[in-house]
Amino acid sequence: QVQLVESGGGLVQAGDSLRLSCAASGRTLSRYFVGWFRQAPGKEREFVSAITWSSGRTYSTDSAKGRFTISRDNAKNTVYLQMSSLKPEDTAVYYCAADGRDLGPALYRISAYYAYWGQGTQVTVSS
């Protein structure tokens, strides 16, 4: 079992930056695929970015590329999502998710394939 805990959310203004953290316990993430999703009020949960822990290969949506960066810290068993140039439309609850399989390009965008989820952290961007 893997337990995930997100932190780092908050209320910021448009153009500001935030760094979200996803700390894992229970097992090392060295063989896991880790993703960030978000869910805005009244909308479905959507994929943001993901990383293959072993290789460091990353995947991101077009809207996240250039603004959001996903990274990992092996020693801390933690994944980060550095977000910059935030926009009001980035307002959502951000969730960290992990799975023991290398989901790859066909599956990483699909939330149902992730076995473990954190409780989420709220990000609110004011205009």
Side-chain angles (χ1 to χ4, degrees):
Q1 286 282 10
V2 175
Q3 292 79 43
L4 304 173
V5 178
E6 304 95 334
S7 61
L11 172 62
V12 297
Q13 294 186 336
D16 285 351
S17 298
L18 274 178
R19 188 178 78 161
L20 305 184
S21 299
C22 173
S25 62
R27 288 188 179 179
T28 177
L29 291 177
S30 61
R31 295 185 179 183
Y32 281 75
F33 193 90
V34 182
W36 284 97
F37 289 76
R38 68 185 184 185
Q39 189 166 17
K43 295 186 177 181
E44 293 187 354
R45 191 169 298 187
E46 64 175 3
F47 170 79
V48 177
S49 190
I51 186 167
T52 303
W53 193 277
S54 57
S55 67
R57 182 175 181 178
T58 63
Y59 307 85
S60 295
T61 60
D62 288 341
S63 63
K65 289 178 182 177
R67 297 194 301 129
F68 295 0
T69 303
I70 188 170
S71 63
R72 71 197 191 291
D73 185 321
N74 293 339
K76 296 183 178 180
N77 211 29
T78 298
V79 173
Y80 302 100
L81 185 67
Q82 178 68 48
M83 306 186 295
S84 61
S85 302
L86 284 163
K87 305 174 182 179
E89 51 264 43
D90 294 319
T91 295
V93 178
Y94 283 70
Y95 297 91
C96 173
D99 196 86
R101 301 165 292 180
D102 185 351
L103 297 180
L107 302 177
Y108 67 79
R109 294 176 179 266
I110 305 174
S111 60
Y113 283 95
Y114 290 79
Y116 306 102
W117 289 83
Q119 82 290 348
T121 185
Q122 176 71 47
V123 172
T124 303
V125 184
S126 64
S127 57

